[in-house]
Amino acid sequence: MKVFLLILYFSPLVYCSNIAPAGVDTTAIDFYNLGHYTLGKNDTAKAEYFFERSIDENKTAPALFELSKILISKKTIRDRARARELLQTAIYKDPKNIKYRLLMAALMEYFSSGLAFKQYEDILDIDSTNATALFQMGRIKEEVFDDYNKSVTR
């Protein structure tokens, strides 16, 4: 009976020793959390490093999204192209996430207003009341109309 009580007493310790569910890579989670922490300290270089490491360990949509935001802020063609690839992967992993799609649409405006418009349409397919997507689509259509109007009136 004492042995049974000892096993019963110590068994929760064995089960609680590993908090993360089976199959979850805690290293990637740790790097992701470090990336957020350093981003909060305005150290984007270290945050970029930690998000890269998190992605190397396990490509999670949130890590891809955070790294994309850092790359977009660099404002170079190479970094924006890489951010586009990362966002495409994040959207593939989490297709209903509006934040990922809004960032992708904003990024697409640097490349093509038609691609951005398509992204906003995809957002409205998920959430037809998204005010940001509706506003941006209206703005793009207004720019297209203004360009057309200027070309006709000359």
Side-chain angles (χ1 to χ4, degrees), residues 135-149:
F135 176 80
Q136 296 298 340
M137 287 175 73
R139 186 186 53 75
I140 290 171
K141 283 296 183 183
E142 179 184 29
E143 288 174 2
V144 170
F145 175 76
D146 286 344
D147 289 343
Y148 171 76
N149 196 28

Side-chain angles (χ1 to χ4, degrees), residues 13 28 43 54 58 60 68 75 84 87 95 99 144 147 150:
L13 295 176
D43 190 353
S54 176
N58 185 10
T60 61
S68 296
K75 298 182 180 178
R84 179 181 180 186
L87 280 172
K99 287 190 314 184
V144 170
D147 289 343
K150 287 177 186 174

Side-chain angles (χ1 to χ4, degrees), residues 87-105:
L87 280 172
Q88 285 174 333
T89 306
I91 289 171
Y92 177 76
K93 289 180 173 288
D94 190 1
K96 300 289 183 186
N97 193 311
I98 301 289
K99 287 190 314 184
Y100 301 168
R101 289 183 178 273
L102 282 172
L103 185 61
M104 178 65 124

Side-chain angles (χ1 to χ4, degrees), residues 51-115:
F51 289 131
E52 288 277 2
R53 293 293 309 267
S54 176
I55 291 168
D56 289 343
E57 295 293 326
N58 185 10
K59 284 188 178 181
T60 61
L64 293 164
F65 176 69
E66 293 298 331
L67 183 57
S68 296
K69 290 192 304 188
I70 292 171
L71 292 174
I72 290 170
S73 70
K74 289 184 175 184
K75 298 182 180 178
T76 65
I77 294 171
R78 189 175 121 238
D79 288 326
R80 286 182 177 164
R82 177 139 188 268
R84 179 181 180 186
E85 293 171 6
L86 294 173
L87 280 172
Q88 285 174 333
T89 306
I91 289 171
Y92 177 76
K93 289 180 173 288
D94 190 1
K96 300 289 183 186
N97 193 311
I98 301 289
K99 287 190 314 184
Y100 301 168
R101 289 183 178 273
L102 282 172
L103 185 61
M104 178 65 124
L107 178 61
M108 288 298 98
E109 289 192 37
Y110 292 108
F111 297 110
S112 163
S113 61
L115 292 173

